[in-house]
Amino acid sequence: AAPKPVHTLMSPPDGVWAGLREWRGAALNRRWVWGKRDAQEADASREDNPEPNLPTPWATDESPTTLPATLAECADLVLRTADPAMKAALSHAAYAKFVNSRGAMRVGLASPPAVPARPALPELVEPKLVPSPKTCELGMSAAMIHNVAHIELNAIDLAWDTVARFSRLAAADDAGAAGGIPTEFFADFARVADDESRHLGWCLQRLGEMGVRYGDIAAHNVLWEGAEATASSLPARLAVVPCMQEARGLDAGPRLVAKLQGRGDNRSAAVVRRISEEETAHVAVGVAWFRRVCLGSSVDPGDAFRAHIGVHAPDALRGPFNHEQRVAAGLEPDWYSVGPEHRMGREGEEQLGGTDAR
């Protein structure tokens, strides 16, 4: 179906995604394994378990090691864990512990590493040196899923880094005292990390089914560079990571699904489709908190978004945009694009005739 004209899209009330409350209130998601058709719980008795039934060390509420007492310290532990499967396992175990504590587990305080622990491979190179899926010797599908796995690994660390790095801003009593960020903020990003751990698990499983390991293909470090650039500013972090980087997943996901289907790889396409659908919540969480932070500072969120992107990621806003999903998540087209058709990002203003073209 052709995309709807931008001017016909209706923003959700107060710029908050309609599904945000349901997402926040959902029970722990234990659908870690990709079955024959969809994600499922890791239950060996199920007839539709994948063949071969690959080991999934992240598929349990139990932690592979003793977890720290606070959420921020758990975040720090994940960030210092290099192995991707172990990182996924710890992410879910930490979030499960937080949820099951029923409010008893505090946010706490942590001093996260400047750079998260990473496995020896993949080699991190400049983006232009990452092998193209079309020419990758391991095959297009393997290269595409490897790229998604790398994104999901970074997404786990980005979410936990937001919890740990900004734990210093938490309300003193973890109950929303004046002057502090409420516990709900940290709970939201811990849930995002849990979602991303499932996504990484599906990708690791799919790579294994294709005879490929994470690390077999070079990757880039652009996503983490966004975290480094915004380490000292919460509004900048929200603008760059969930509102900009995660939103790119809304744009690229459907195109990637179509490419995989075009090559007959419907299984990989189904994995990517589910991941793309679940990313809407992650963008929406970032938009909701960004709006709230701007409101607290009496700053227009659109102006603030453009300012932070202009400083920290000036070349990042490039179309084509999935306006329908972006608007549903709470992003306004005027924040990130210009011109009557909103086909270009903010850096396209000059070509379109300057700021008067808005």
Side-chain angles (χ1 to χ4, degrees):
K4 296 180 181 179
V6 177
H7 71 273
T8 67
L9 300 176
M10 299 294 293
S11 299
D14 299 322
V16 177
W17 176 51
L20 188 55
R21 177 177 292 184
E22 180 181 357
W23 178 82
R24 284 170 166 164
L28 282 171
N29 191 327
R30 298 183 175 89
R31 300 175 72 183
W32 297 294
V33 175
W34 197 266
K36 289 186 177 180
R37 297 178 181 83
D38 202 350
Q40 64 182 49
E41 294 189 12
D43 183 351
S45 67
R46 287 185 59 142
E47 294 182 356
D48 58 348
N49 270 343
E51 294 290 344
N53 193 4
L54 299 171
T56 51
W58 54 87
T60 174
D61 285 1
E62 299 298 322
S63 174
T65 187
T66 301
L67 290 171
T70 68
L71 188 63
E73 290 172 309
C74 286
D76 183 73
L77 175 63
V78 175
L79 290 164
R80 296 178 189 275
T81 300
D83 180 75
M86 184 64 71
K87 189 183 289 286
L90 288 173
S91 289
H92 177 74
Y95 182 64
K97 179 178 180 178
F98 178 73
V99 171
N100 292 332
S101 76
R102 300 183 183 277
M105 187 175 181
R106 299 185 62 195
V107 172
L109 184 65
S111 298
V115 178
R118 286 282 186 266
L121 295 173
E123 178 186 5
L124 298 180
V125 299
E126 293 296 319
K128 64 183 179 181
L129 298 179
V130 175
S132 168
K134 293 181 179 179
T135 59
C136 179
E137 61 183 14
L138 296 179
M140 179 177 282
S141 287
M144 288 179 174
I145 295 300
H146 191 281
N147 288 345
V148 177
H150 185 65
I151 291 170
E152 299 305 323
L153 178 72
N154 274 273
I156 292 173
D157 284 332
L158 289 164
W160 283 125
D161 186 78
T162 299
V163 171
R165 196 161 304 281
F166 297 100
S167 61
R168 57 187 169 79
L169 301 179
D173 60 0
D174 282 359
I181 301 297
T183 300
E184 289 75 17
F185 171 88
F186 301 95
D188 277 351
F189 282 91
R191 181 177 283 273
V192 169
D194 184 41
D195 285 352
E196 307 291 18
S197 72
R198 284 185 296 103
H199 298 171
L200 175 61
W202 300 338
C203 291
L204 294 178
Q205 177 187 331
R206 185 68 188 119
L207 286 174
E209 292 168 357
M210 292 187 283
V212 178
R213 294 176 300 174
Y214 175 71
D216 284 350
I217 304 172
H220 62 73
N221 199 40
V222 170
L223 296 175
W224 189 255
E225 290 171 358
E228 292 178 319
T230 59
S232 62
S233 169
L234 178 58
R237 169 64 61 89
L238 294 172
V240 169
V241 175
C243 296
M244 187 273 287
Q245 288 182 352
E246 293 263 22
R248 294 300 297 156
L250 303 183
D251 304 330
R255 298 198 300 270
L256 181 53
V257 169
K259 289 179 181 178
L260 289 165
Q261 288 177 325
R263 295 190 61 81
D265 188 357
N266 293 325
R267 183 165 174 79
S268 294
V271 171
V272 174
R273 180 186 297 108
R274 173 56 64 90
I275 290 174
S276 181
E277 290 170 352
E278 294 192 3
E279 295 299 339
T280 299
H282 306 167
V283 178
V285 162
V287 174
W289 283 107
F290 183 70
R291 287 180 180 274
R292 183 164 170 176
V293 169
C294 290
L295 179 64
S297 302
S298 300
V299 175
D300 178 80
D303 291 341
F305 178 81
R306 290 188 289 272
H308 289 303
I309 297 301
V311 170
H312 301 292
D315 298 322
L317 295 178
R318 296 175 180 173
F321 301 111
N322 186 343
H323 292 295
E324 190 168 355
Q325 286 301 310
R326 282 171 170 258
V327 170
L331 282 170
E332 304 287 348
D334 286 341
W335 291 15
Y336 58 83
S337 61
V338 297
E341 299 298 325
H342 293 280
R343 291 176 179 168
M344 302 182 71
R346 301 302 308 186
E347 79 281 359
E349 282 185 350
E350 185 174 348
Q351 292 105 303
L352 291 174
T355 56
D356 290 339
R358 290 184 212 181

